[in-house]
Amino acid sequence: PPLWNALCLVLPGKLFTYLIGFLLMAGVVLCYNLANMALISVFGARQVLGVEPILFGVFVTAVDMLLILVKRTFISIVEDAKKK
């Protein structure tokens, strides 16, 4: 697929691309689980969130932004350690 080939050119390799995708989906699953646990604890009923496109997009974007923040923080820690 052309999109996959374009992604693999930008990212360091297929394994790295799969790792990013796995981390993104694991974060989204964690968000859904936390939201469902909060709904169950607040309302006491088994009202669970389904996977709907808008909420899925919000969760993916939030997890992606969080991973970018973690990456930048990790890089700055490594750069500061190299200076010392």
Side-chain angles (χ1 to χ4, degrees):
L3 179 62
W4 177 251
N5 292 334
L7 274 176
C8 287
L9 289 176
V10 174
L11 297 173
K14 285 186 179 181
L15 181 64
F16 187 72
T17 306
Y18 281 126
L19 179 65
I20 290 173
F22 178 77
L23 287 174
L24 266 171
M25 289 302 113
V28 170
V29 168
L30 180 67
C31 287
Y32 272 109
N33 284 337
L34 290 174
N36 283 329
M37 285 190 321
L39 279 174
I40 290 169
S41 67
V42 169
F43 296 112
R46 298 287 297 167
Q47 294 181 352
V48 294
L49 294 174
V51 179
E52 53 188 52
I54 293 174
L55 190 59
F56 180 79
V58 168
F59 284 160
V60 167
T61 303
V63 171
D64 187 35
M65 297 304 288
L66 179 68
L67 288 176
I68 290 171
L69 178 68
V70 168
K71 181 189 85 167
R72 287 181 183 167
T73 304
F74 182 73
I75 288 173
S76 69
I77 289 171
V78 169
E79 288 175 353
D80 288 344
K82 285 182 181 178
K83 289 181 184 176
K84 294 182 179 181

